PDB file of all heavy atoms in Angstrom:
ATOM      1  N   ALA N 180     104.037  -9.756 111.144  1.00 98.00           N
ATOM      2  CA  ALA N 180     103.535  -8.379 111.137  1.00 98.00           C
ATOM      3  C   ALA N 180     102.306  -8.255 112.040  1.00 98.00           C
ATOM      4  O   ALA N 180     102.195  -7.297 112.817  1.00 98.00           O
ATOM      5  CB  ALA N 180     103.203  -7.950 109.713  1.00 98.00           C
ATOM      6  N   LEU N 181     101.401  -9.214 111.959  1.00 98.00           N
ATOM      7  CA  LEU N 181     100.209  -9.194 112.817  1.00 98.00           C
ATOM      8  C   LEU N 181     100.586  -9.329 114.290  1.00 98.00           C
ATOM      9  O   LEU N 181     100.039  -8.638 115.151  1.00 98.00           O
ATOM     10  CB  LEU N 181      99.253 -10.324 112.428  1.00 98.00           C
ATOM     11  CG  LEU N 181      98.525 -10.178 111.101  1.00 98.00           C
ATOM     12  CD1 LEU N 181      97.833 -11.487 110.726  1.00 98.00           C
ATOM     13  CD2 LEU N 181      97.520  -9.034 111.167  1.00 98.00           C
ATOM     14  N   ALA N 182     101.519 -10.233 114.588  1.00 98.00           N
ATOM     15  CA  ALA N 182     101.929 -10.467 115.973  1.00 98.00           C
ATOM     16  C   ALA N 182     102.636  -9.254 116.569  1.00 98.00           C
ATOM     17  O   ALA N 182     102.497  -8.975 117.756  1.00 98.00           O
ATOM     18  CB  ALA N 182     102.833 -11.697 116.056  1.00 98.00           C
ATOM     19  N   ARG N 183     103.391  -8.557 115.748  1.00 97.00           N
ATOM     20  CA  ARG N 183     104.077  -7.357 116.244  1.00 97.00           C
ATOM     21  C   ARG N 183     103.092  -6.229 116.516  1.00 97.00           C
ATOM     22  O   ARG N 183     103.306  -5.432 117.419  1.00 97.00           O
ATOM     23  CB  ARG N 183     105.138  -6.909 115.245  1.00 97.00           C
ATOM     24  CG  ARG N 183     106.355  -7.800 115.262  1.00 97.00           C
ATOM     25  CD  ARG N 183     107.378  -7.386 114.238  1.00 97.00           C
ATOM     26  NE  ARG N 183     108.607  -8.154 114.397  1.00 97.00           N
ATOM     27  CZ  ARG N 183     109.526  -8.278 113.465  1.00 97.00           C
ATOM     28  NH1 ARG N 183     109.365  -7.696 112.279  1.00 97.00           N
ATOM     29  NH2 ARG N 183     110.619  -8.981 113.695  1.00 97.00           N
ATOM     30  N   THR N 184     102.026  -6.168 115.741  1.00 97.00           N
ATOM     31  CA  THR N 184     101.008  -5.129 115.918  1.00 97.00           C
ATOM     32  C   THR N 184     100.114  -5.411 117.115  1.00 97.00           C
ATOM     33  O   THR N 184      99.811  -4.518 117.893  1.00 97.00           O
ATOM     34  CB  THR N 184     100.126  -5.025 114.646  1.00 97.00           C
ATOM     35  OG1 THR N 184     100.968  -4.755 113.534  1.00 97.00           O
ATOM     36  CG2 THR N 184      99.093  -3.939 114.780  1.00 97.00           C
ATOM     37  N   ASN N 185      99.683  -6.655 117.224  1.00 97.00           N
ATOM     38  CA  ASN N 185      98.779  -7.057 118.298  1.00 97.00           C
ATOM     39  C   ASN N 185      99.164  -8.463 118.748  1.00 97.00           C
ATOM     40  O   ASN N 185      98.645  -9.446 118.218  1.00 97.00           O
ATOM     41  CB  ASN N 185      97.333  -7.011 117.794  1.00 97.00           C
ATOM     42  CG  ASN N 185      96.328  -7.159 118.907  1.00 97.00           C
ATOM     43  OD1 ASN N 185      96.685  -7.100 120.078  1.00 97.00           O
ATOM     44  ND2 ASN N 185      95.082  -7.366 118.554  1.00 97.00           N
ATOM     45  N   PRO N 186     100.073  -8.605 119.716  1.00 97.00           N
ATOM     46  CA  PRO N 186     100.588  -9.916 120.111  1.00 97.00           C
ATOM     47  C   PRO N 186      99.483 -10.884 120.547  1.00 97.00           C
ATOM     48  O   PRO N 186      98.664 -10.557 121.408  1.00 97.00           O
ATOM     49  CB  PRO N 186     101.515  -9.600 121.291  1.00 97.00           C
ATOM     50  CG  PRO N 186     101.876  -8.165 121.117  1.00 97.00           C
ATOM     51  CD  PRO N 186     100.673  -7.523 120.483  1.00 97.00           C
ATOM     52  N   PRO N 187      99.454 -12.066 119.932  1.00 98.00           N
ATOM     53  CA  PRO N 187      98.459 -13.072 120.315  1.00 98.00           C
ATOM     54  C   PRO N 187      98.899 -13.812 121.578  1.00 98.00           C
ATOM     55  O   PRO N 187     100.063 -13.751 121.977  1.00 98.00           O
ATOM     56  CB  PRO N 187      98.455 -14.020 119.115  1.00 98.00           C
ATOM     57  CG  PRO N 187      99.851 -13.947 118.604  1.00 98.00           C
ATOM     58  CD  PRO N 187     100.279 -12.519 118.815  1.00 98.00           C
ATOM     59  N   ASP N 188      97.980 -14.526 122.176  1.00 98.00           N
ATOM     60  CA  ASP N 188      98.308 -15.359 123.332  1.00 98.00           C
ATOM     61  C   ASP N 188      98.934 -16.682 122.898  1.00 98.00           C
ATOM     62  O   ASP N 188      99.697 -17.289 123.645  1.00 98.00           O
ATOM     63  CB  ASP N 188      97.043 -15.638 124.147  1.00 98.00           C
ATOM     64  CG  ASP N 188      96.448 -14.349 124.697  1.00 98.00           C
ATOM     65  OD1 ASP N 188      97.126 -13.699 125.511  1.00 98.00           O
ATOM     66  OD2 ASP N 188      95.326 -13.992 124.298  1.00 98.00           O
ATOM     67  N   LEU N 189      98.600 -17.125 121.683  1.00 98.00           N
ATOM     68  CA  LEU N 189      99.073 -18.406 121.170  1.00 98.00           C
ATOM     69  C   LEU N 189      99.206 -18.322 119.659  1.00 98.00           C
ATOM     70  O   LEU N 189      98.356 -17.705 119.003  1.00 98.00           O
ATOM     71  CB  LEU N 189      98.061 -19.505 121.530  1.00 98.00           C
ATOM     72  CG  LEU N 189      98.310 -20.914 120.999  1.00 98.00           C
ATOM     73  CD1 LEU N 189      99.552 -21.525 121.636  1.00 98.00           C
ATOM     74  CD2 LEU N 189      97.084 -21.787 121.246  1.00 98.00           C
ATOM     75  N   ILE N 190     100.272 -18.907 119.126  1.00 98.00           N
ATOM     76  CA  ILE N 190     100.447 -19.006 117.678  1.00 98.00           C
ATOM     77  C   ILE N 190     100.475 -20.482 117.316  1.00 98.00           C
ATOM     78  O   ILE N 190     101.250 -21.256 117.880  1.00 98.00           O
ATOM     79  CB  ILE N 190     101.755 -18.337 117.200  1.00 98.00           C
ATOM     80  CG1 ILE N 190     101.742 -16.841 117.521  1.00 98.00           C
ATOM     81  CG2 ILE N 190     101.953 -18.567 115.700  1.00 98.00           C
ATOM     82  CD1 ILE N 190     103.052 -16.125 117.212  1.00 98.00           C
ATOM     83  N   ILE N 191      99.614 -20.858 116.372  1.00 98.00           N
ATOM     84  CA  ILE N 191      99.607 -22.214 115.826  1.00 98.00           C
ATOM     85  C   ILE N 191     100.010 -22.076 114.371  1.00 98.00           C
ATOM     86  O   ILE N 191      99.309 -21.431 113.588  1.00 98.00           O
ATOM     87  CB  ILE N 191      98.223 -22.872 115.955  1.00 98.00           C
ATOM     88  CG1 ILE N 191      97.822 -22.966 117.428  1.00 98.00           C
ATOM     89  CG2 ILE N 191      98.229 -24.244 115.286  1.00 98.00           C
ATOM     90  CD1 ILE N 191      96.433 -23.466 117.659  1.00 98.00           C
ATOM     91  N   SER N 192     101.143 -22.672 114.014  1.00 98.00           N
ATOM     92  CA  SER N 192     101.698 -22.443 112.686  1.00 98.00           C
ATOM     93  C   SER N 192     102.021 -23.726 111.942  1.00 98.00           C
ATOM     94  O   SER N 192     102.516 -24.693 112.515  1.00 98.00           O
ATOM     95  CB  SER N 192     102.979 -21.608 112.804  1.00 98.00           C
ATOM     96  OG  SER N 192     103.565 -21.400 111.540  1.00 98.00           O
ATOM     97  N   ASP N 193     101.750 -23.691 110.645  1.00 97.00           N
ATOM     98  CA  ASP N 193     102.235 -24.696 109.723  1.00 97.00           C
ATOM     99  C   ASP N 193     103.754 -24.530 109.668  1.00 97.00           C
ATOM    100  O   ASP N 193     104.291 -23.468 110.000  1.00 97.00           O
ATOM    101  CB  ASP N 193     101.605 -24.446 108.353  1.00 97.00           C
ATOM    102  CG  ASP N 193     101.900 -25.520 107.328  1.00 97.00           C
ATOM    103  OD1 ASP N 193     102.474 -26.567 107.697  1.00 97.00           O
ATOM    104  OD2 ASP N 193     101.558 -25.323 106.158  1.00 97.00           O
ATOM    105  N   VAL N 194     104.464 -25.554 109.265  1.00 97.00           N
ATOM    106  CA  VAL N 194     105.914 -25.455 109.173  1.00 97.00           C
ATOM    107  C   VAL N 194     106.355 -25.057 107.768  1.00 97.00           C
ATOM    108  O   VAL N 194     107.149 -24.141 107.595  1.00 97.00           O
ATOM    109  CB  VAL N 194     106.580 -26.789 109.601  1.00 97.00           C
ATOM    110  CG1 VAL N 194     108.076 -26.733 109.395  1.00 97.00           C
ATOM    111  CG2 VAL N 194     106.271 -27.086 111.052  1.00 97.00           C
ATOM    112  N   LEU N 195     105.832 -25.729 106.766  1.00 96.00           N
ATOM    113  CA  LEU N 195     106.243 -25.479 105.387  1.00 96.00           C
ATOM    114  C   LEU N 195     105.269 -24.518 104.713  1.00 96.00           C
ATOM    115  O   LEU N 195     104.130 -24.874 104.417  1.00 96.00           O
ATOM    116  CB  LEU N 195     106.318 -26.787 104.605  1.00 96.00           C
ATOM    117  CG  LEU N 195     107.300 -27.822 105.164  1.00 96.00           C
ATOM    118  CD1 LEU N 195     107.194 -29.109 104.379  1.00 96.00           C
ATOM    119  CD2 LEU N 195     108.713 -27.283 105.141  1.00 96.00           C
ATOM    120  N   MET N 196     105.736 -23.274 104.499  1.00 96.00           N
ATOM    121  CA  MET N 196     104.930 -22.237 103.865  1.00 96.00           C
ATOM    122  C   MET N 196     105.828 -21.377 102.992  1.00 96.00           C
ATOM    123  O   MET N 196     107.030 -21.277 103.239  1.00 96.00           O
ATOM    124  CB  MET N 196     104.289 -21.327 104.930  1.00 96.00           C
ATOM    125  CG  MET N 196     103.341 -22.001 105.866  1.00 96.00           C
ATOM    126  SD  MET N 196     102.703 -20.868 107.120  1.00 96.00           S
ATOM    127  CE  MET N 196     104.157 -20.610 108.139  1.00 96.00           C
ATOM    128  N   PRO N 197     105.248 -20.727 101.988  1.00 93.00           N
ATOM    129  CA  PRO N 197     106.041 -19.801 101.173  1.00 93.00           C
ATOM    130  C   PRO N 197     106.328 -18.514 101.943  1.00 93.00           C
ATOM    131  O   PRO N 197     105.730 -18.271 102.994  1.00 93.00           O
ATOM    132  CB  PRO N 197     105.133 -19.534  99.968  1.00 93.00           C
ATOM    133  CG  PRO N 197     103.758 -19.756 100.478  1.00 93.00           C
ATOM    134  CD  PRO N 197     103.880 -20.842 101.519  1.00 93.00           C
ATOM    135  N   VAL N 198     107.211 -17.713 101.440  1.00 94.00           N
ATOM    136  CA  VAL N 198     107.605 -16.403 101.971  1.00 94.00           C
ATOM    137  C   VAL N 198     108.420 -16.554 103.250  1.00 94.00           C
ATOM    138  O   VAL N 198     109.577 -16.189 103.291  1.00 94.00           O
ATOM    139  CB  VAL N 198     106.406 -15.452 102.181  1.00 94.00           C
ATOM    140  CG1 VAL N 198     106.879 -14.095 102.674  1.00 94.00           C
ATOM    141  CG2 VAL N 198     105.561 -15.323 100.924  1.00 94.00           C
ATOM    142  N   MET N 199     107.825 -17.052 104.322  1.00 96.00           N
ATOM    143  CA  MET N 199     108.529 -17.303 105.588  1.00 96.00           C
ATOM    144  C   MET N 199     107.921 -18.552 106.199  1.00 96.00           C
ATOM    145  O   MET N 199     106.726 -18.607 106.453  1.00 96.00           O
ATOM    146  CB  MET N 199     108.382 -16.113 106.550  1.00 96.00           C
ATOM    147  CG  MET N 199     109.023 -16.350 107.912  1.00 96.00           C
ATOM    148  SD  MET N 199     108.671 -15.051 109.118  1.00 96.00           S
ATOM    149  CE  MET N 199     109.962 -13.891 108.752  1.00 96.00           C
ATOM    150  N   ASP N 200     108.754 -19.560 106.438  1.00 96.00           N
ATOM    151  CA  ASP N 200     108.225 -20.810 106.986  1.00 96.00           C
ATOM    152  C   ASP N 200     108.048 -20.718 108.498  1.00 96.00           C
ATOM    153  O   ASP N 200     108.387 -19.719 109.127  1.00 96.00           O
ATOM    154  CB  ASP N 200     109.101 -22.000 106.588  1.00 96.00           C
ATOM    155  CG  ASP N 200     110.504 -21.961 107.183  1.00 96.00           C
ATOM    156  OD1 ASP N 200     110.733 -21.265 108.190  1.00 96.00           O
ATOM    157  OD2 ASP N 200     111.383 -22.642 106.634  1.00 96.00           O
ATOM    158  N   GLY N 201     107.498 -21.764 109.074  1.00 97.00           N
ATOM    159  CA  GLY N 201     107.218 -21.788 110.501  1.00 97.00           C
ATOM    160  C   GLY N 201     108.460 -21.702 111.373  1.00 97.00           C
ATOM    161  O   GLY N 201     108.434 -21.120 112.455  1.00 97.00           O
ATOM    162  N   TYR N 202     109.573 -22.278 110.902  1.00 97.00           N
ATOM    163  CA  TYR N 202     110.822 -22.209 111.662  1.00 97.00           C
ATOM    164  C   TYR N 202     111.332 -20.776 111.748  1.00 97.00           C
ATOM    165  O   TYR N 202     111.739 -20.305 112.810  1.00 97.00           O
ATOM    166  CB  TYR N 202     111.892 -23.105 111.040  1.00 97.00           C
ATOM    167  CG  TYR N 202     111.549 -24.573 111.064  1.00 97.00           C
ATOM    168  CD1 TYR N 202     111.339 -25.270 109.878  1.00 97.00           C
ATOM    169  CD2 TYR N 202     111.425 -25.273 112.258  1.00 97.00           C
ATOM    170  CE1 TYR N 202     111.029 -26.628 109.892  1.00 97.00           C
ATOM    171  CE2 TYR N 202     111.112 -26.619 112.280  1.00 97.00           C
ATOM    172  CZ  TYR N 202     110.915 -27.287 111.095  1.00 97.00           C
ATOM    173  OH  TYR N 202     110.601 -28.617 111.105  1.00 97.00           O
ATOM    174  N   ALA N 203     111.313 -20.074 110.618  1.00 98.00           N
ATOM    175  CA  ALA N 203     111.769 -18.683 110.592  1.00 98.00           C
ATOM    176  C   ALA N 203     110.835 -17.802 111.432  1.00 98.00           C
ATOM    177  O   ALA N 203     111.292 -16.878 112.114  1.00 98.00           O
ATOM    178  CB  ALA N 203     111.843 -18.175 109.158  1.00 98.00           C
ATOM    179  N   LEU N 204     109.540 -18.091 111.386  1.00 98.00           N
ATOM    180  CA  LEU N 204     108.585 -17.345 112.206  1.00 98.00           C
ATOM    181  C   LEU N 204     108.892 -17.533 113.684  1.00 98.00           C
ATOM    182  O   LEU N 204     108.918 -16.569 114.443  1.00 98.00           O
ATOM    183  CB  LEU N 204     107.153 -17.809 111.903  1.00 98.00           C
ATOM    184  CG  LEU N 204     106.051 -17.244 112.799  1.00 98.00           C
ATOM    185  CD1 LEU N 204     105.983 -15.733 112.702  1.00 98.00           C
ATOM    186  CD2 LEU N 204     104.709 -17.875 112.432  1.00 98.00           C
ATOM    187  N   ARG N 205     109.166 -18.745 114.088  1.00 97.00           N
ATOM    188  CA  ARG N 205     109.503 -19.021 115.494  1.00 97.00           C
ATOM    189  C   ARG N 205     110.748 -18.264 115.921  1.00 97.00           C
ATOM    190  O   ARG N 205     110.777 -17.635 116.973  1.00 97.00           O
ATOM    191  CB  ARG N 205     109.701 -20.518 115.708  1.00 97.00           C
ATOM    192  CG  ARG N 205     110.078 -20.866 117.142  1.00 97.00           C
ATOM    193  CD  ARG N 205     110.379 -22.352 117.284  1.00 97.00           C
ATOM    194  NE  ARG N 205     110.828 -22.666 118.611  1.00 97.00           N
ATOM    195  CZ  ARG N 205     112.080 -22.503 119.058  1.00 97.00           C
ATOM    196  NH1 ARG N 205     113.004 -22.006 118.262  1.00 97.00           N
ATOM    197  NH2 ARG N 205     112.402 -22.825 120.293  1.00 97.00           N
ATOM    198  N   ARG N 206     111.787 -18.312 115.089  1.00 97.00           N
ATOM    199  CA  ARG N 206     113.032 -17.604 115.416  1.00 97.00           C
ATOM    200  C   ARG N 206     112.776 -16.098 115.554  1.00 97.00           C
ATOM    201  O   ARG N 206     113.270 -15.457 116.478  1.00 97.00           O
ATOM    202  CB  ARG N 206     114.105 -17.873 114.363  1.00 97.00           C
ATOM    203  CG  ARG N 206     114.735 -19.243 114.468  1.00 97.00           C
ATOM    204  CD  ARG N 206     115.960 -19.380 113.572  1.00 97.00           C
ATOM    205  NE  ARG N 206     115.660 -19.210 112.174  1.00 97.00           N
ATOM    206  CZ  ARG N 206     115.262 -20.194 111.349  1.00 97.00           C
ATOM    207  NH1 ARG N 206     115.116 -21.413 111.811  1.00 97.00           N
ATOM    208  NH2 ARG N 206     115.012 -19.944 110.073  1.00 97.00           N
ATOM    209  N   ALA N 207     112.002 -15.530 114.629  1.00 97.00           N
ATOM    210  CA  ALA N 207     111.721 -14.097 114.668  1.00 97.00           C
ATOM    211  C   ALA N 207     110.907 -13.731 115.906  1.00 97.00           C
ATOM    212  O   ALA N 207     111.177 -12.703 116.540  1.00 97.00           O
ATOM    213  CB  ALA N 207     110.975 -13.675 113.408  1.00 97.00           C
ATOM    214  N   CYS N 208     109.953 -14.564 116.271  1.00 96.00           N
ATOM    215  CA  CYS N 208     109.161 -14.305 117.481  1.00 96.00           C
ATOM    216  C   CYS N 208     110.022 -14.353 118.741  1.00 96.00           C
ATOM    217  O   CYS N 208     109.855 -13.544 119.648  1.00 96.00           O
ATOM    218  CB  CYS N 208     108.003 -15.297 117.591  1.00 96.00           C
ATOM    219  SG  CYS N 208     106.672 -15.012 116.422  1.00 96.00           S
TER     220      CYS N 208
END
């Protein structure tokens, strides 16, 4: 949601997280 509102230059993400993990975030991006 934050990235869609104001796209960052770089995303650093954990992989294992609740709600949406890092893999799903990458695919959505």
Side-chain angles (χ1 to χ4, degrees):
L181 289 169
R183 285 178 173 161
T184 303
N185 191 11
D188 298 296
L189 176 67
I190 298 174
I191 299 174
S192 178
D193 187 8
V194 175
L195 300 175
M196 298 177 289
V198 182
M199 177 188 274
D200 65 20
Y202 296 115
L204 173 61
R205 179 185 176 278
R206 284 190 299 273
C208 287

